[in-house]
Amino acid sequence: MANEEDDPVVQEIKPKQQKVELEMAIDTLNPNYCRSKGEQIALNVDGACADETSTYSSKLMDKQTFCSSQTTSNTSRYAAALYRQGELHLTPLHGILQLRPSFSYLDKADAKHREREAANEAGDSSQDEAEEDVKQITVRFSRPESEQARQRRVQSYEFLQKKHAEEPWVHLHYYGLRDSRSEHERQYLLCQGSSGVENTELVKSPSEYLMMLMPPSQEQEKDKPVAPSNVLSMAQLRTLPLADQIKILMKNVKVMPFANLMSLLGPFIDSVAVLRGIQKVAMLVQGNWVVKSDILYPKDSSSPHSGVPAEVLCRGRDFVMWKFTQSRWVVRKEVATVTKLSAEDVKDFLEHMAVVRINKGWEFILPYDGEFIKKHPDVVQRQHMLWTGIQAKLEKVYNLVKETMPKKPDGQSGPAVLVSGDQRVQVAKSKAQQNHALLERELQRRKEQIRASTVLPGVRIKEEPMSEEGEEEEEREVEEDEEPMDTSPSRGLHNRLANGLPAGRAAGGDSFNGHPPPGCASTPVARELRAFVEATFQRQFVLTLSELKRLFNLHLASLPPGHTLFSGISDRMLQDTVLAAGCKQILVPFPPQTAASPDEQKVFALWESGDMSDQHRQVLLEIFSKNYRVRRNMIQSRLTQECGEDLSKQEVDKVLKDCCVSYGGMWYLKGTVQS
């Protein structure tokens, strides 16, 4: 600068290791200053006796030390800017230090505290112990310090701290912002040139000037953290070759329609080249592309859950992909049974390409892409040949039975047809009308068989006309004999039974028209079903038919493939088994506006379990056969009246816990409360 000689440098301070300590006074007269706290800190640091070595000579914390720390190792990209009269003046920076409060006085306070404790302990021990005997000591002279030892000592932390403490303080004078000296120093931040003609560097282009101001730093590029593997930058992605772009996208997305892939790659990419590249890293499933297993599980890798090698994982995932080429639905238990892999590994496979649906299984995550199938038949045919080879390999490894159902020429399953609830109802009604005549003939035939088998000599049976509702119930029973139990929530919407089985069957107990009910026969299926029902009602004394079917489904899921219970259990067989196991149906009077389904309105309870609470439980169930909800005081008085003794609170609590739930101050049978 032009006037630099008028202000010569008096002293240049270059702190070692760029570390500076600044001690600033604290205004102890300020009303915001807590004097008692300052005295307490000074007492903890210096003790009661003040001397020359005291940190706070005024017996008050009247100063604060700030210690510097480096903010960045490279300051060449930073400058101090001053804007004045439409001009921007930049001054390069050679060092940036950040000052933070130093709490070294707390270390001194701790040291003083330890010294006082040691002195107190030494004083106590000197009073209790006698003088120690004179002992012989050995004097050793230190050897001359070698050069290596001296260098290690000089570089040690203790030596540096000692040298830092011995460094004298330099007293500074502070000038305010409006002071003339501050204004004089601030003038050095302004460029003294009269015009910008001499600045030849400013004639460059904006991009070159920006590069001069902020040159690329190799050190910062080296320290730049690596982005996570699942994070993609589209700008960086498009700088890669097309094959690598397709591989990275498929590896991260897992499943993608071809149209979406083309939109991600950009509008100027050739679709033929993309088709060639996608077939190297993905397989066609229902018209969509699913990344190949060996891309996700490369050679020499293993499962993070079970440690299974990559080859076994690829085989298991290929089986899941192949199953989705046959159907839109896959059951996880079936996959685990065939592949013999852990549940976590199978779940990972399915989460890559499917979504779970309650009570149905796993559905393929994307809809069937029929447009791609029609547009690229040659690609579809090639993929079909690949899947045929994979299927042969899977059949050999897993001992699968070959599919006998005919397949489509393109090897892909057709699109799933979505049917609404109203359409299902219409189809069911039309089917019922078509089968009405057949059901009537079957009903008449069964009536004749029953009449022929139950009429004894000299016995006359009174026949009463059967209402339309009764005929529909009989037709329902005939149909249920043929169908397995359906556990879907919509089951039974058109069933006109008000609350379970007909009254004649519920009262009949173990027989119906002289024949034992289905499910009570001595067959392996009946025995297994009876054991499940008895064990379930021993744990839960009251169950609705809906809840019982849910528990039965969970029980089936825990059984091995091929178990006898997989042969098909109808609703009628399940209900008859419940009644035969010592349970009774409780005809709970649900309110007319109830939202409970027919299966939720069928309530069964264990009548006798063999414990001391049977009588109490029976009284409680009789109460709920006449009331939908009851208050506790009514239950208490009825139990006391029927049992003839003053029941304890614990006994009442037990029977309520076994059979009821509380909601809004009222008690309901389990499974009947409608919130």
Side-chain angles (χ1 to χ4, degrees):
M1 302 173 69
N3 58 351
E4 193 177 41
E5 299 174 353
D6 298 339
D7 188 20
V9 177
V10 177
Q11 183 182 4
E12 183 177 358
I13 301 175
K14 293 184 178 180
K16 294 183 178 180
Q17 298 181 357
Q18 296 293 323
K19 187 172 183 182
V20 176
E21 285 190 355
L22 180 64
E23 190 177 85
M24 300 182 66
I26 299 177
D27 185 8
T28 58
L29 301 179
N30 192 292
N32 296 324
Y33 181 79
C34 181
R35 191 174 185 85
S36 61
K37 191 68 176 179
E39 292 176 351
Q40 183 64 43
I41 293 175
L43 180 62
N44 293 340
V45 175
D46 298 329
C49 300
D51 53 16
E52 296 179 354
T53 61
S54 299
T55 304
Y56 304 110
S57 58
S58 62
K59 295 186 179 180
L60 196 67
M61 183 181 178
D62 55 358
K63 56 186 177 181
Q64 175 69 55
T65 304
F66 293 87
C67 185
S68 68
S69 61
Q70 276 189 323
T71 56
T72 179
S73 59
N74 183 13
T75 58
S76 61
R77 304 177 66 177
Y78 296 92
L82 189 64
Y83 185 77
R84 179 169 293 184
Q85 297 179 357
E87 296 177 347
L88 182 64
H89 300 260
L90 299 177
T91 304
L93 299 179
H94 299 287
I96 302 176
L97 296 178
Q98 182 181 18
L99 293 175
R100 296 181 178 180
S102 174
F103 301 99
S104 58
Y105 60 88
L106 297 178
D107 299 334
K108 295 181 180 179
D110 292 340
K112 287 281 186 182
H113 180 68
R114 286 193 295 268
E115 289 177 2
R116 286 194 294 268
E117 286 186 347
N120 293 336
E121 291 179 0
D124 296 340
S125 62
S126 62
Q127 295 177 4
D128 299 337
E129 298 178 0
E131 288 188 1
E132 297 182 356
D133 297 337
V134 178
K135 294 183 179 179
Q136 182 180 1
I137 61 174
T138 303
V139 179
R140 294 181 180 178
F141 296 94
S142 60
R143 296 179 180 177
E145 188 178 25
S146 63
E147 182 63 24
Q148 293 181 352
R150 189 188 69 81
Q151 290 180 359
R152 285 196 300 269
R153 180 176 60 83
V154 169
Q155 295 176 0
S156 65
Y157 176 77
E158 183 179 359
F159 180 83
L160 294 176
Q161 287 292 104
K162 183 179 179 181
K163 189 174 181 181
H164 176 70
E166 293 174 353
E167 184 178 351
W169 285 96
V170 177
H171 295 277
L172 303 176
H173 181 73
Y174 173 75
Y175 294 95
L177 180 64
R178 303 299 179 185
D179 193 272
S180 60
R181 180 63 184 266
S182 298
E183 183 64 28
H184 178 73
E185 292 292 335
R186 196 157 42 247
Q187 293 297 322
Y188 290 119
L189 298 177
L190 299 175
C191 180
Q192 302 301 319
S194 58
S195 64
V197 179
E198 300 177 358
N199 298 331
T200 57
E201 294 182 350
L202 299 181
V203 299
K204 298 181 181 296
S205 64
S207 60
E208 292 175 339
Y209 180 58
L210 185 62
M211 185 65 67
M212 292 173 60
L213 283 177
M214 298 186 63
S217 174
Q218 296 181 357
E219 181 179 353
Q220 290 193 5
E221 291 293 334
K222 197 177 298 180
D223 296 339
K224 186 177 179 180
V226 180
S229 59
N230 61 339
V231 176
L232 282 177
S233 170
M234 295 303 297
Q236 295 179 356
L237 181 68
R238 289 177 179 174
T239 61
L240 301 176
L242 180 60
D244 293 340
Q245 293 185 44
I246 297 173
K247 181 177 180 180
I248 292 174
L249 284 172
M250 292 305 304
K251 187 174 181 180
N252 283 270
V253 182
K254 310 284 191 307
V255 184
M256 192 187 306
F258 186 74
N260 290 14
L261 179 61
M262 290 298 299
S263 64
L264 289 174
L265 293 176
F268 305 107
I269 303 298
D270 183 17
S271 61
V272 178
V274 176
L275 275 175
R276 284 198 300 264
I278 190 66
Q279 295 184 67
K280 297 178 181 178
V281 297
M283 297 290 293
L284 191 64
V285 177
Q286 300 192 20
N288 302 280
W289 292 98
V290 182
V291 63
K292 289 185 177 180
S293 302
D294 54 0
I295 301 297
L296 295 179
Y297 304 105
K299 192 177 181 180
D300 298 332
S301 63
S302 60
S303 167
H305 305 294
S306 58
V308 174
E311 182 182 359
V312 181
L313 292 176
C314 292
R315 196 160 54 231
R317 189 174 180 275
D318 287 345
F319 175 74
V320 175
M321 293 169 62
W322 172 75
K323 289 291 290 182
F324 277 120
T325 64
Q326 311 298 312
S327 171
R328 284 197 60 82
W329 298 91
V330 168
V331 181
R332 185 172 72 170
K333 186 177 179 64
E334 178 188 354
V335 176
T337 304
V338 174
T339 60
K340 303 296 190 297
L341 291 173
S342 65
E344 292 80 5
D345 291 332
V346 175
K347 186 178 180 182
D348 282 351
F349 299 159
L350 293 170
E351 286 178 343
H352 290 169
M353 62 191 85
V355 290
V356 64
R357 306 293 186 193
I358 300 176
N359 293 334
K360 291 184 178 180
W362 291 78
E363 184 184 12
F364 193 69
I365 194 170
L366 294 178
Y368 180 84
D369 193 353
E371 182 179 353
F372 180 86
I373 298 295
K374 296 177 182 178
K375 192 174 181 180
H376 304 281
D378 53 338
V379 177
V380 173
Q381 182 63 27
R382 192 179 302 114
Q383 289 291 310
H384 172 58
M385 294 172 62
L386 292 175
W387 277 121
T388 304
I390 294 175
Q391 178 182 353
K393 186 186 300 182
L394 293 174
E395 289 173 352
K396 183 178 180 181
V397 173
Y398 295 132
N399 297 323
L400 301 177
V401 179
K402 289 189 176 182
E403 297 289 338
T404 57
M405 297 182 64
K407 297 182 181 179
K408 294 187 177 183
D410 56 10
Q412 301 292 330
S413 58
V417 180
L418 300 178
V419 182
S420 64
D422 294 338
Q423 292 175 336
R424 292 183 179 181
V425 172
Q426 294 298 331
V427 171
K429 285 183 178 180
S430 61
K431 184 177 180 181
Q433 292 174 359
Q434 295 174 2
N435 297 335
H436 183 69
L438 179 63
L439 290 174
E440 279 190 344
R441 290 195 299 270
E442 179 66 19
L443 182 61
Q444 291 297 330
R445 185 181 63 80
R446 291 190 60 180
K447 284 182 179 179
E448 293 175 359
Q449 291 179 354
I450 294 173
R451 189 180 297 110
S453 60
T454 55
V455 174
L456 300 176
V459 178
R460 295 175 59 189
I461 296 178
K462 180 180 178 181
E463 294 185 2
E464 295 182 358
M466 181 177 292
S467 63
E468 293 181 2
E469 182 176 351
E471 291 180 358
E472 289 181 7
E473 290 173 359
E474 289 294 336
E475 292 172 6
R476 174 73 172 178
E477 291 166 5
V478 172
E479 188 174 358
E480 283 183 352
D481 281 343
E482 303 296 331
E483 297 178 356
M485 180 179 63
D486 183 8
T487 57
S488 61
S490 61
R491 176 73 171 176
L493 292 177
H494 301 286
N495 190 350
R496 296 191 181 182
L497 296 180
N499 190 15
L501 299 175
R505 289 183 59 190
D510 294 339
S511 63
F512 178 64
N513 282 348
H515 291 274
C520 296
S522 180
T523 62
V525 176
R527 287 195 297 269
E528 289 286 342
L529 184 60
R530 175 83 175 247
F532 161 75
V533 169
E534 291 177 348
T536 302
F537 276 94
Q538 285 294 336
R539 294 191 302 269
Q540 304 183 38
F541 294 94
V542 178
L543 286 171
T544 63
L545 179 59
S546 176
E547 178 66 12
L548 181 61
K549 289 160 69 173
R550 187 186 70 84
L551 295 176
F552 183 67
N553 276 343
L554 293 177
H555 179 64
L556 287 178
S558 65
L559 297 177
H563 196 273
T564 55
L565 287 180
F566 285 108
S567 57
I569 305 297
S570 65
D571 285 1
R572 175 182 174 182
M573 186 174 182
L574 183 62
Q575 295 178 71
D576 289 343
T577 305
V578 171
L579 297 174
C583 301
K584 287 192 176 183
Q585 184 175 0
I586 310 302
L587 303 177
V588 180
F590 282 83
Q593 69 276 13
T594 181
S597 64
D599 283 352
E600 292 174 341
Q601 295 183 30
K602 298 177 184 179
V603 185
F604 297 92
L606 182 62
W607 195 252
E608 293 182 357
S609 63
D611 58 10
M612 301 296 294
S613 302
D614 280 348
Q615 184 182 3
H616 305 157
R617 195 159 42 247
Q618 292 169 9
V619 173
L620 181 67
L621 295 175
E622 289 178 357
I623 294 174
F624 279 102
S625 65
K626 300 177 182 179
N627 302 275
Y628 174 61
R629 56 182 182 179
V630 188
R631 294 190 179 274
R632 182 189 173 95
N633 55 4
M634 177 181 175
I635 297 174
Q636 181 88 33
S637 60
R638 182 69 180 274
L639 286 173
T640 303
Q641 178 183 354
E642 293 293 336
C643 298
E645 56 183 2
D646 189 10
L647 296 177
S648 63
K649 182 177 180 299
Q650 290 78 9
E651 291 175 322
V652 178
D653 290 342
K654 182 182 183 305
V655 71
L656 287 176
K657 182 180 179 182
D658 290 343
C659 304
C660 304
V661 292
S662 176
Y663 182 78
M666 305 294 289
W667 288 87
Y668 302 78
L669 275 185
K670 287 184 176 179
T672 62
V673 60
Q674 301 293 321
S675 57

